[in-house]
Amino acid sequence: MSLLTDLINLNLSDCTNKIIAEYIWIGGSGMDLRSKARTLSGPVADPSKLPKWNYDGSSTGQAPGEDSEVILYPQAIFRDPFRRGNNILVMCDAYTPAGEPIPTNKRCNAAKIFSHPDVAAEEPWYGIEQEYTLLQKDVKWPIGWPLGGYPGPQGPYYCGVGVDKAYGRDIVDSHYKACLYAGINISGINGEVMPGQWEFQVGPSIGISAGDELWVARYILERITEIAGVVLSFDPKPIQGDWNGAGAHTNYSTKSMRNDGGYEVIKKAIEKLGLRHKEHIAAYGEGNERRLTGRHETADINTFLWGVANRGASIRVGRDTEKAGKGYFEDRRPASNMDPYVVTSMIAETTILWKP
Amino acid sequence: MSSLSHLINLDLGRTTKKIIVEYIWIGGSGMDLRSKARTLPGPVTDPSELPLWNYDGSSTDQAPGNDSEIILRPQAIFKDPFRRGNNLLAMCDCYTPAGDPIPTNKRFNAAKIFKHPDVVAEEPWFGIEQEYTLLQKQVKWPLNWPVGGFPGPQGPYYCGVGADKSFGRDIVDAHYKACLYAGINVSGINGEVMPAQWEFQVGPATGISAGDQLWVARYILERITEIAGVVLSFDPKPIPGDWNGAGAHTNYSTKSMRSDGGIHVIKKAIEKLGLRHKEHIAAYGEGNERRLTGRHETADISKFSWGVANRGASIRVGRDTEREGKGYFEDRRPASNMDPYVVTSMVAETTILWKP
């Protein structure tokens, strides 16, 4: 198949100024990523210079057949690690022809919150720890797991090495480099407690860009698993029983929290989050009740508690932050299938704007 | 097989001025592409510099055995993405030794229509959305569909990402770059509603060049599927039942339609197309009645309708065009196996030359 590879890897910059832009958007379920590509006459570095586009919303559960056009607004550009050259990936959000955000467009509201002067002044930083599980294609059972059975119990797999402990490292490593190439701020990766489960972290990112970067990182991951012939799952509890779930712990700080005396600001913010626990949980991902049981390094879904270095809490404050008197905290409640636009903007809204 | 690739990828430019030209033509069924190659003494930049050639028409159902020579007239050249260097692809049409177009030569008549002064003055632009299906080689069942069964119902596949939603992206991406390299104006690609079905768009292309570019794009696609070991199908309804068909929606505009007030010219043109619906349908591809059922984003084959943003109509006008009062419209009736020489020239003829 090397002839096919030769063609896929053609460097078009030698023969044309044209570039290919892959427009990415979120479909009707709120978690299904979609994309299609178009040719542009030359390189583009600024999303505002990209043309708006449209797609058939009746094929993604987002519009009726007799009025099917949904408009794509380019919001963020990344380098395309698959096509390389001057080709780009473009994260978009979706609007009606009249210019209204469609119901599944969570970015629009998040952008409004992040544009609020009080929020902008606080420069909210996010580090999101995205966990995910890799499944065998035809049976939807985790990769490396025996068909009709289970691997040995959890213990050896977290950050493990070796063919009997680490399943799918190729995918994780190529994803890491592909994202760095693309310009996504990946800060690290690790093998997770359940075999076949992995984590990557995106951040620190400011405001709306946390959501943009995480969604494009998810897209790149799904393109890579597609190449590898493996199915990507963001289910928060893919295997019932004594197996860890998958979360998207969201680390957060504001300018005030990062400055001297920030620890007091952090405590006040955590208090506010505690008062809105139910509202946050409702927005933190479908199926989270199967994961937040109080076991497997989670806090029970109905309980709000926080603690230093406590992985069984809803919110964990690191020992570094406690010692320095300033820093950040980790909201451990969001599920792996959360929408980062929703979670990041809601945390900012509750801690900066909301008055109890 | 690396020494075979080495040889295939030899850069002859270092050792000789000779070039290889692949002459491409359409065979006796009107859909089967044929080609053969010859050596020329040096680089060529215009089709008129290429010699006429001939082939054995009795082997393609286009001539009797006792008088089998068919003359190939090169009409358009493109860079060869497989041989690269200065090597070329040449799209040809077919004539008897006496110089008459043979019956399957549809380009000849199309070129006449596009040379008519009234048509030339209107600078007709075409954008053709070519849909196609990829089939497993031995069983002619779509790529990655379970043999003896079906994938999950349509929904997740349109513009989808992931090993369980996108089947054959390698082929599509290689084709995109190969065509851009060749100099074909591919404007975009997307995954289609039925899994293993894809679409690429060629255009905007003016007049006869729309047909030339689409035929060579089809040729390059079939060469690439050949490399990939996968069968290419242009059948308009490859799988009966609740599975989308494959079309070749043809977007069209004239100078008048693109200028201020163009929307009225568009409406008049659509009216004329409505009056010749049966004639157009007869020329829009074999087997189209299996596809144009009124379901799966088509209009019923016996009904002519048009609407803004309406994917269930024969002709769709985009919201952009409606809003700006000028632009283009989309004829959604042609099947994936249509002949672009026939369709483009007929649309131009009916809308520009024909008087009701």
Side-chain angles (χ1 to χ4, degrees), chain B residues 39-56:
Chain B
T39 310
L40 295 181
V44 164
T45 50
D46 189 270
S48 60
E49 298 171 51
L50 289 172
L52 298 181
W53 205 10
N54 65 77
Y55 68 93
D56 172 9

Side-chain angles (χ1 to χ4, degrees), chain B residues 31-260:
Chain B
M31 266 307 282
D32 55 313
L33 280 160
R34 310 274 179 159
S35 77
K36 55 174 180 159
R38 69 188 296 183
T39 310
L40 295 181
V44 164
T45 50
D46 189 270
S48 60
E49 298 171 51
L50 289 172
L52 298 181
W53 205 10
N54 65 77
Y55 68 93
D56 172 9
S58 70
S59 288
T60 59
D61 225 12
Q62 290 168 306
N66 51 15
D67 188 7
S68 62
E69 272 179 33
I70 304 238
I71 312 304
L72 285 170
R73 185 175 292 268
Q75 297 289 3
I77 53 177
F78 300 89
K79 291 172 66 180
D80 185 336
F82 307 100
R83 297 194 175 101
R84 296 185 288 282
N86 288 320
N87 305 304
L88 303 173
L89 303 176
M91 187 64 207
C92 306
D93 62 345
C94 305
Y95 296 79
T96 64
D100 299 309
I102 64 173
T104 49
N105 179 350
K106 305 301 182 191
R107 188 187 193 282
F108 185 79
N109 194 54
K112 268 213 233 123
I113 290 172
F114 284 122
K115 286 205 180 71
H116 190 294
D118 293 351
V119 176
V120 173
E122 279 291 359
E123 275 179 55
W125 287 4
F126 298 94
I128 305 175
E129 305 169 37
Q130 175 74 68
E131 292 177 338
Y132 60 92
T133 314
L134 299 172
L135 307 176
Q136 301 173 44
K137 194 170 76 140
Q138 261 94 15
V139 291
K140 303 282 178 70
W141 195 235
L143 185 64
N144 281 17
W145 288 36
V147 173
F150 293 83
Q154 296 184 149
Y157 312 109
Y158 170 74
C159 300
V161 177
D164 50 344
K165 284 158 278 185
S166 167
F167 306 155
R169 191 191 295 273
D170 264 7
I171 289 167
V172 187
D173 275 350
H175 180 250
Y176 200 166
K177 280 196 176 181
C179 285
L180 285 178
Y181 176 94
I184 293 170
N185 205 357
V186 175
S187 43
I189 54 122
N190 63 272
E192 268 301 330
V193 177
M194 184 177 106
Q197 201 169 72
W198 294 86
E199 167 180 318
F200 65 89
Q201 307 99 33
V202 173
T206 312
I208 195 72
S209 110
D212 291 334
Q213 290 191 50
L214 190 71
W215 274 115
V216 180
R218 286 174 170 180
Y219 174 80
I220 292 174
L221 182 58
E222 190 136 39
R223 286 285 303 270
I224 288 175
T225 52
E226 182 187 308
I227 291 169
V230 155
V231 169
L232 174 62
S233 170
F234 287 116
D235 189 277
K237 189 75 173 182
I239 308 293
D242 201 2
W243 303 99
N244 273 32
H249 305 159
T250 301
N251 297 278
Y252 171 68
S253 69
T254 60
K255 203 167 183 178
S256 311
M257 295 175 194
R258 299 188 289 272
S259 311
D260 289 336

Side-chain angles (χ1 to χ4, degrees), chain A residues 217-240:
Chain A
R218 286 175 170 179
Y219 174 82
I220 291 174
L221 182 58
E222 190 138 42
R223 285 286 302 271
I224 287 174
T225 52
E226 183 187 309
I227 292 170
V230 155
V231 168
L232 174 63
S233 170
F234 287 116
D235 189 275
K237 190 75 174 185
I239 308 293
Q240 290 179 311

Side-chain angles (χ1 to χ4, degrees), chain A residues 131 236-237 243-247 249 288-301 303 305 310-315 332-334:
Chain A
E131 293 178 336
K237 190 75 174 185
W243 303 98
N244 273 31
H249 305 158
N288 215 0
E289 67 285 352
R290 291 181 282 122
R291 164 183 162 256
L292 294 182
T293 58
R295 297 179 58 221
H296 301 111
E297 299 169 278
T298 70
D300 179 86
I301 197 169
T303 311
L305 69 105
N310 184 354
R311 278 179 160 79
S314 319
I315 297 205
R332 293 175 64 80
R333 300 171 291 171

